[in-house]
Structure formats: C-alpha cells, structure tokens
C-alpha cells in the first residue's frame, strides 16, 4: 500500500493529485523550483523539496533530482502528472530502480509509444486504422496539404501545416530544429493533413490482471496552435458504429503494448472514418470530463492499479455531458501571446470549493481545477494555463450553458486571459448547433472564427467600454472623497449598505466637468461628468444615469436598464466587473510622461523572456524588409518570433543571445525608409510577434 506519494510535477495537476491523496489518507510530497517556492502546489503538500534553479531543464526535467527528492522525503511512490517527464521511459525506470512505486504504465509501454513513427508501426500490426506516413522526398502537389510532426513529444511543438510544396524543405528543417530543442530528438515525419477533421480520443484504464476499460469518447477539436482549449465528453454527433470502432481500436492499442494504468488513445475523425494519431501514456489534462460523466476518480484508480489492485470487470455506465475550458493567461487578440504578472484576484463563484477532485460535477456544481490562487504571480518559466473549469449537466446544451455562465461571472484581476474568447466560443452557433448538436466542431474552428471571437473583426462595443470607464472614474472619485452616510434606504451593488456616496455639497455655481483618462482595449479613452448637489451627470453618454457610487461599486442606469459594476484597483490597473462582462483599464495620468516615450520604430519585448536567436547577419546599418524576423524570445514554453513592422534601416540593436529581458525592453530600432516623395513613412513602434508552439 502506498503511504506517501511524491508528485513529480507542479501547478493544477499536482494540486489535483494531492486532493485525491488527502481523501485516501496518503501523505503528499511536492517538488518545486525557486520561482515555485510559494506556489499553491508547494503550499498544499504536507512536505516539499526544493529543486534549485528556475527553468524546467534545471528542475522538473531533472529525473535524478526527482528520485533523490522522493528518497529524501521518505516517499514510497512517484506520480508524474502530465507534461515534463510523465512520458519518459528512462525516468520511469529510474523510479523503479530506486525501489519506489511508479504510478504509471510500464517503462516498456511508454517507450513503445514515445516515437510516433514506431507507434504507428505497432498500431498497424494491431489492426488499428491510421494515416500512413508520406515520404517527404516524394510528396506531390496533389497530396497537399500535409502535416509535419515531431516523432517525440507533443503540445504542438515541432508541428507545421504545409500547403505549398516549395515551403516543405524549410518547414521540415524548422520542425526538426524545434523538436530537437524541445524534446532532445529532431526526428519528424510527414502525413496527410485532414481539413476540418475532429480530434476525438478514448480514455483507457487497464489493470495488471487483464482488464481494459474504454471510458467513452472525448472531443478536443477546439484548438489553437495545435493545443486544446475546450474539451467535452462524450464526443457529440458520433453514431454507434463509429463509437464502437473507436472503443475497440483504443482497447486493442492498449493490449498490443501490455498497457496498465490510465492512458489516452487519440484519433482524427472525418465523417465515418477514424485514424490513429498517437497514444498518450499518462493522465490527460482533460480527464475531468470523463470523471464527471462516469462518476470516477481516475487518480484514485491509478493508485489502486499501481498497488496491484484490480478493476471491476466492466466500468460504470456514463450519464449526462461534461465540458471543460482551459483558462489561460494569454491574449487571443494579440496572437495568443502569453501574459505574466500578479493574479490579484481569481474567483469562480459558481465552483464548489468543497468539490473533491474526481467526484461527478453533477453532485457538487461546477468544478475548478486551478494551479493559481489570488495573489500568485504568473511567471515566465512555465505553461500559461491558470485553471480548468468543468461543468456537468444531463444534456450537452445545459452543460455548455452552465460553463459559459460560470466563466462569464468569474472574477479575474491580473494578466489578460482568454476568458472572453472561451465564453464566445461556447455560445457560438457552430459550437452549440441546433438542439445542442454541433455543426462546425473541428480543428479549424478558430481559423474560421478567430477574428469574430477575439474582436479583431472590428465589432468591438466601444460604448460599453466607455460606460465601464465612467464607472471606474466614479469609483475612483468616491475613493478619494471622504464617504458620507448613505441616505435611508440606499443600497450599494450586491446589497451592501454603508458608504454609498451622496453627490457633493451645496454650490451656488455650476461645477466644471471632471474628466478621467484610461487606456482600454483599443487605445485611450476619456470620460467626463459633472457633479451637482444631488446628482452626477455623465457627459457625452446619452441614456446613462448614475444611481449610486462607492469606492468598490457603482450602479448605473443604461438605456433604462440597471447595471451594477464591481470596481477594484491595483496601482494603475482598474477592473470593472458585471454579471455579463468585465473590463480591464489602465488609469492614465492627467499629463503624459514624456520621459516614458520610446523612439519611433522601437521593437519592444512583449513579455519577459530569454533571447535565444538573432537573425543571421543582423547588425546596425542593415537594410530590413517589413515582416523580417529579427529576434527570437523563449518564454512560457513557447518561442516568440519578433518581426520588423516596416521596411527601413536597423539603427540600434540591444538584444543579444542569452540575455534575459523584461517586458517593454527595447530590443532593436528600425528607422523606416522614406517614401518616393522624400517624406519619412509614418512610424509604427509596435513590432509584430509570431509564436511557434
């Protein structure tokens, strides 16, 4: 029996595993890098072992340090979580060689699936349907588009879609270089790229006594940069014959390699055909939707299997539908750029804080699996996922509606997140479909709808943001003015009574309009209002009436509808939350600071990171074409390519390989070329940032 478990991981998966351990009476051991010394997973474990360093290569990818940590803490078992070394056969062997229990499949099974090319050979022999790899030297125009994939690893790294034959050699080389950097293995392969295919997977659970469970299907088709964003179970719209094929193929894959423990077999589905993609020999990020539908704790079952226990002959029957959304600190409108900073406040009011990981969400409301808490810092060294929010309901339509509402009402004060994109995605007609049956559920969803879902289609509601800015200005004014007692019967938003501000003292002359400046989503905005003895009158916002103000709450009437705003300020950052939306604003000084201006043409670091590469031959005086990649940064497990915004001359170069840079640091300056008439072209200080997963 396992008495003490070390989780060789971090973030939400470590917290989730610790929750099951507490329920089972198993002692918990965390490991942490220096940046994670105060992270939730470190705080929640009963003991923790420091891994000196900051980067994954120094810490969570050091199998030798992880084994020593388990021994030092007296743990008798190791759970790898997902990511990092979870699919590393050598690490599994090292754990077993140290006399510890490995909560995962046999090292031989991991090794057999580690290479996607070898895995395809094994699956073909087992009769599992798949897409045959293509010879890169013999690909023709008729076979395009094709997909270049890394043979090792995952997460979209080392993956390229190629639509032009002439681009194939360059994309092959780029994928090989990225795969070698990310996984230590530069092998790649090429296969047909299926347009508008669906990513469907089957959860496998197998014990050491010959029982294999195929726990339904999951659809993970909504992806950006080949990384999943929304997942659900069961996969909607599949007929019984296709479901049976998927279940039988997944079970055959597990039996073919002598698999034990939890794993996932992934397929590409198009129409009535399914093709094997890969097998993940670990727990998946999206496992909670399967837990909710089957009423199981997959981590508890992993531990039972690792202890030699047996599964029941048949799994429980599924019920209802579950949907999961991955909440990331990233800006979808800026190319999904990861964000860093302090997460001042993070709450999902709909989630049940007492929800035990693994319990059906139907029994305790919306489930939240989070790796961050209010006050935590989102750093540059690790993945940008903050949490997963999961909802269960008897039907798909109800589950989707519940999840969208929970996300919409979440309180997120800190780095920009993908929350709005998630809500819009869940409510998009192509996702919901008539009667809850999706009509546009495939891996190209964000390619088709990205502009409208991120607001890049120009349909952003400027008036709503202006109204939110007015609420922020009124709350700030209330905070700077000593509050007076509220008139009898007056209430603040949320039902709070004291502190609501009355509107000024007696005057014998009209007041001068007051103004506040903010930076919003699409630039600077100014709000103006006039304060009288018993009212506040917004200027240039017809149809808006002020009902009540306080430092943390404002009530407005907008076109006859009462709207309540919760306000919070952290330094210059201001957050305005309502029941149907949230706004993040930056309060601007009355007079701009000229000292903070950057030279025109400055290429600024979009986030903290490490300079890993400069364009070949890059030097001051070089002629630069618009769109030319100049600097590569690595941050948050992603490679960020920064390109010139316009043609011109490189007049300054401040970046150097190996340098750590802060957000906003000037990396280079490109002075734009003059137009034919001799006038300088308009300066654009923003570089273009492209990301490679």
């Amino acid at each position: 029996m396992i008495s003490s478990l070390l989780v060789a991981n971090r973030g939400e998966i470590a917290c989730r595993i610790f929750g099951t351990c507490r329920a089972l009476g198993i002692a918990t051991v965390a490991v942490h890098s220096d940046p994670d010394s105060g992270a939730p997973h470190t705080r929640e474990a009963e003991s923790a072992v420091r891994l000196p360093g900051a980067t994954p290569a120094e810490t969570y990818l050091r199998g030798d340090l992880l084994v020593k940590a388990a021994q030092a803490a007296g743990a008798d078992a190791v759970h790898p979580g997902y990511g990092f070394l979870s699919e590393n056969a050598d690490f599994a062997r090292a754990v077993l060689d140290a006399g510890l229990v490995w909560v995962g499949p046999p090292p031989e099974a991991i090794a057999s699936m580690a290479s996607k090319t070898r895995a395809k050979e094994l699956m073909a022999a087992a009769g599992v349907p798949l897409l045959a790899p293509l010879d890169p030297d013999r690909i023709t125009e008729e076979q395009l588009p094709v997909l270049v994939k890394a043979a090792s690893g995952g997460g979209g790294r080392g993956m390229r879609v190629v639509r032009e034959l002439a681009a194939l050699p360059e994309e092959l080389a780029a994928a090989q270089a990225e795969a070698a950097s990310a996984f230590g293995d530069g092998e790649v392969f090429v296969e047909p790229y299926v347009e508008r295919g669906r990513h469907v997977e089957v959860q496998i659970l197998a014990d050491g006594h010959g029982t294999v469970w195929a726990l339904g299907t999951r659809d993970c088709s909504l992806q950006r940069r080949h990384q999943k964003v929304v997942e659900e179970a069961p996969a909607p719209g599949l007929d019984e014959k296709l479901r049976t094929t998927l279940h039988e193929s997944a079970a055959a894959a597990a039996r073919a390699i002598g698999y034990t423990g939890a794993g996932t077999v992934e397929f590409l589905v198009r129409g009535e055909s399914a093709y094997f993609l890969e097998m993940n020999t670990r727990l998946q990020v999206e496992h909670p939707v399967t837990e909710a539908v089957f009423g199981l704790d997959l981590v508890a079952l992993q531990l039972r299997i690792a202890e030699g226990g047996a599964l029941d002959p048949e799994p429980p029957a599924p019920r209802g539908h579950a949907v999961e959304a991955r909440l990331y600190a990233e800006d979808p409108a800026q190319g999904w750029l990861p964000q860093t900073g302090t997460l001042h406040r993070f709450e999902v009011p709909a989630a049940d804080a007492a929800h035990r990981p693994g319990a059906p969400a139907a029994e305790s409301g919306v489930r939240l699996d989070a790796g961050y808490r209010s006050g935590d810092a989102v750093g540059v060294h690790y993945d940008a996922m903050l949490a997963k929010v999961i909802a269960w309901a008897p039907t798909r339509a109800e589950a989707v509606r519940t999840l969208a509402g929970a996300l919409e009402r979440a309180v997120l004060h800190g780095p920009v997140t993908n929350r709005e994109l998630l809500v819009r995605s869940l409510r998009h007609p192509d996702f919901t479909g008539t009667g809850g049956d999706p009509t546009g559920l495939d891996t190209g969803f964000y390619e088709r709808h990205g502009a409208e879902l991120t607001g890049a289609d120009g349909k952003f509601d400027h008036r709503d943001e202006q109204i939110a800015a007015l609420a922020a200005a009124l709350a700030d004014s209330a905070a700077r003015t000593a509050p007076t007692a509220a008139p009898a019967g007056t209430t603040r938003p949320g039902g709070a009574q004291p502190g609501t501000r009355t509107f000024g003292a007696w005057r014998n002359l009209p007041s001068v309009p007051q103004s506040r400046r903010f930076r919003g989503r699409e630039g600077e905005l100014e709000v103006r209002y006039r304060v009288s003895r018993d009212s506040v009158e917004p200027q240039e916002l017809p149809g808006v009436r002020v009902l009540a103000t306080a430092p943390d709450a404002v009530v407005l009437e907008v076109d006859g509808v009462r709207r309540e705003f919760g306000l919070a300020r952290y330094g210059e950052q201001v957050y305005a939350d309502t029941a149907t939306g949230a706004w993040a604003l930056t309060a601007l000084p009355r007079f701009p600071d000229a000292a903070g201006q950057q030279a025109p043409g400055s290429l600024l670091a979009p986030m903290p990171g490490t300079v890993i590469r400069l364009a070949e031959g890059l030097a001051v005086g070089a002629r630069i074409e618009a769109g030319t990649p100049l600097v590569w940064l690595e941050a948050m497990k992603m490679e960020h390519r920064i390109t010139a915004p316009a043609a011109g001359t490189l007049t300054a170069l401040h970046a150097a390989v190996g340098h750590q840079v802060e957000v906003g640091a000037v990396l280079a300056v490109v002075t734009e070329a003059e137009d034919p008439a001799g006038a300088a072209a308009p300066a654009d200080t923003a570089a273009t940032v492209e990301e490679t997963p």
Side-chain angles (χ1 to χ4, degrees):
M1 298 291 289
I2 296 171
S3 61
S4 178
L5 179 75
L6 179 138
V7 177
N9 217 293
R10 64 176 301 279
E12 56 87 19
I13 183 55
C15 295
R16 185 261 173 273
I17 295 169
F18 292 154
T20 289
C21 288
R22 284 192 294 271
L24 297 178
I26 297 174
T28 54
V29 181
V31 290
H32 67 87
S33 64
D34 290 336
D36 275 345
S37 60
H41 81 274
T42 306
R43 303 194 302 262
E44 291 183 16
E46 293 169 334
S47 58
V49 180
R50 176 186 175 228
L51 303 174
T55 67
E58 297 171 312
T59 56
Y60 300 106
L61 292 175
R62 286 285 303 274
D64 57 333
L65 296 183
L66 295 169
V67 171
K68 289 178 181 178
Q71 294 171 324
D76 49 24
V78 172
H79 192 302
Y82 40 69
F84 295 129
L85 296 177
S86 61
E87 294 181 277
N88 187 298
D90 290 338
F91 177 54
R93 291 190 188 98
V95 170
L96 293 169
D97 289 346
L100 303 169
V101 175
W102 169 251
V103 185
E108 296 75 21
I110 297 174
S112 65
M113 294 290 106
S115 168
K116 293 181 177 65
T117 51
R118 173 59 178 155
K120 283 179 176 287
E121 294 172 358
L122 291 171
M123 294 302 99
V128 177
L130 49 81
L131 291 169
L134 302 172
D135 183 346
D137 297 326
R138 298 185 178 184
I139 293 174
T140 65
E141 291 280 357
E142 290 72 24
Q143 293 173 305
L144 296 176
V146 297
L147 185 65
V148 181
K149 297 178 69 174
S152 300
R157 305 198 72 175
M159 187 179 293
R160 302 285 194 282
V161 177
V162 181
R163 300 182 182 279
E164 297 179 6
L165 201 57
L168 183 58
E170 180 181 350
E171 296 292 4
L172 277 168
Q176 289 167 343
E178 187 179 8
S181 172
F183 313 121
D185 180 1
E187 182 187 358
V188 300
F189 65 95
V190 182
E191 66 182 16
Y193 179 66
V194 178
E195 300 276 12
R196 301 202 65 167
R198 291 177 60 181
H199 187 127
V200 178
E201 58 192 31
V202 178
Q203 175 72 57
I204 288 295
L205 201 64
D207 62 20
H209 306 277
T211 299
V212 177
W213 284 359
L215 292 173
T217 57
R218 296 190 292 248
D219 192 293
C220 308
S221 297
L222 265 62
Q223 303 177 6
R224 91 284 190 261
R225 297 192 310 250
H226 306 292
Q227 294 179 317
K228 302 164 187 173
V229 178
V230 176
E231 302 105 345
E232 58 183 304
L238 305 182
D239 63 31
E240 194 57 37
K241 180 180 178 181
L242 183 54
R243 288 183 187 277
T244 299
T245 297
L246 291 167
H247 292 168
E248 291 178 349
S249 297
R255 291 191 174 96
I257 60 173
Y259 199 82
T260 60
T264 300
V265 185
E266 302 191 348
F267 297 88
L268 183 65
V269 172
R270 180 68 189 273
E272 299 304 310
S273 300
Y275 307 100
F276 172 83
L277 285 175
E278 62 184 354
M279 183 173 184
N280 295 127
T281 54
R282 54 171 170 80
L283 199 65
Q284 290 278 87
V285 177
E286 57 270 24
H287 75 273
V289 293
T290 297
E291 292 182 323
V293 168
F294 282 87
L296 296 171
D297 183 333
L298 292 178
V299 172
L301 291 171
Q302 282 185 297
L303 295 170
R304 180 196 299 179
I305 292 168
E307 292 175 333
L311 297 171
D312 293 338
E314 297 293 333
R319 61 192 180 99
H321 202 96
V323 188
E324 170 184 293
R326 302 190 190 189
L327 189 62
Y328 284 93
E330 66 181 10
D331 189 349
Q334 300 296 324
W336 312 93
L337 187 67
Q339 305 290 300
T340 60
T342 300
L343 189 61
H344 300 289
R345 187 176 173 195
F346 176 30
E347 298 173 5
V348 182
D352 186 345
H355 178 79
R356 185 174 72 82
E363 297 177 1
S364 55
V366 174
R367 169 175 165 180
L368 175 67
D369 283 14
Y372 291 87
R373 308 288 186 266
S374 295
D376 288 338
V378 181
V380 69
H381 298 291
Y382 312 112
D383 186 84
M385 189 170 76
L386 302 176
K388 304 174 308 192
V389 186
I390 308 100
W392 180 96
T395 68
R396 180 179 190 266
E398 292 172 300
V400 169
R401 182 179 62 192
T402 299
L403 181 57
L407 288 165
E408 188 172 52
R409 290 166 175 78
V411 180
L412 293 162
H413 297 168
V416 175
T417 72
N418 67 335
R419 183 258 300 275
E420 288 188 17
L421 172 108
L422 294 173
V423 173
R424 292 171 182 166
S425 299
L426 292 166
R427 291 174 174 167
H428 194 280
D430 273 9
F431 181 79
T432 59
T434 302
D437 185 19
T439 58
L441 191 61
D442 60 73
T443 55
F445 182 84
Y446 286 120
E447 291 180 18
R448 297 191 303 278
H449 304 301
E452 62 181 289
L453 293 173
T454 61
D457 58 356
K459 297 180 180 179
F460 178 65
D461 193 332
H462 296 277
R463 185 169 185 259
D464 263 6
E465 187 177 54
Q466 193 83 5
I467 292 169
L470 172 65
L474 295 174
D476 180 64
S477 177
R480 291 185 292 104
T481 305
T484 60
T490 302
T491 61
R492 285 169 47 196
Q497 297 288 336
T500 300
R501 185 186 176 211
T502 55
F503 302 124
W506 180 85
R507 302 171 185 267
N508 64 353
L509 292 173
S511 66
V512 175
Q514 300 185 38
S515 67
R516 294 286 188 277
R517 295 169 54 248
F518 298 91
R519 182 166 54 250
R521 173 172 160 172
E522 296 188 352
E524 185 176 322
L525 58 154
E526 182 179 16
V527 292
R528 300 170 68 247
Y529 57 93
R530 188 187 300 272
V531 179
S532 65
R533 181 176 180 179
D534 55 4
S535 68
V536 175
E537 299 175 3
Q539 307 293 294
E540 300 156 7
L541 277 174
V544 177
R545 254 190 351 121
V546 179
L547 302 183
T549 68
D552 60 350
V554 169
V555 183
L556 303 176
E557 184 182 271
V558 180
D559 300 328
V561 178
R562 177 188 176 94
R563 295 179 61 181
E564 301 183 357
F565 292 78
L567 280 302
R569 181 164 178 168
Y570 312 88
E572 300 308 309
Q573 293 304 119
V574 185
Y575 299 90
D577 297 301
T578 73
T580 57
W583 290 265
L585 305 165
T586 302
L588 298 176
R590 184 176 180 184
F591 302 105
D593 180 8
Q597 302 293 322
Q598 299 290 349
S602 296
L603 277 67
L604 309 180
M607 63 187 310
T610 303
V611 178
I612 59 171
R613 181 182 166 194
L614 299 177
E616 186 175 353
L618 190 65
V620 172
R623 295 289 301 165
I624 305 296
E625 296 299 322
T628 301
L630 301 181
V631 182
W632 282 257
L633 291 180
E634 185 172 71
M636 301 179 84
K637 298 173 68 177
M638 303 294 295
E639 183 180 289
H640 309 274
R641 184 171 63 180
I642 300 174
T643 62
T649 301
L650 186 71
T651 54
L653 179 62
H654 303 291
V657 174
H659 280 187
Q660 296 282 332
V661 297
E662 295 299 320
V663 62
V666 179
L667 304 175
V669 178
V670 176
T671 300
E672 295 189 42
E674 293 187 346
D675 65 21
D684 183 351
T685 59
T688 300
V689 181
E690 299 179 6
E691 292 192 17
T692 304

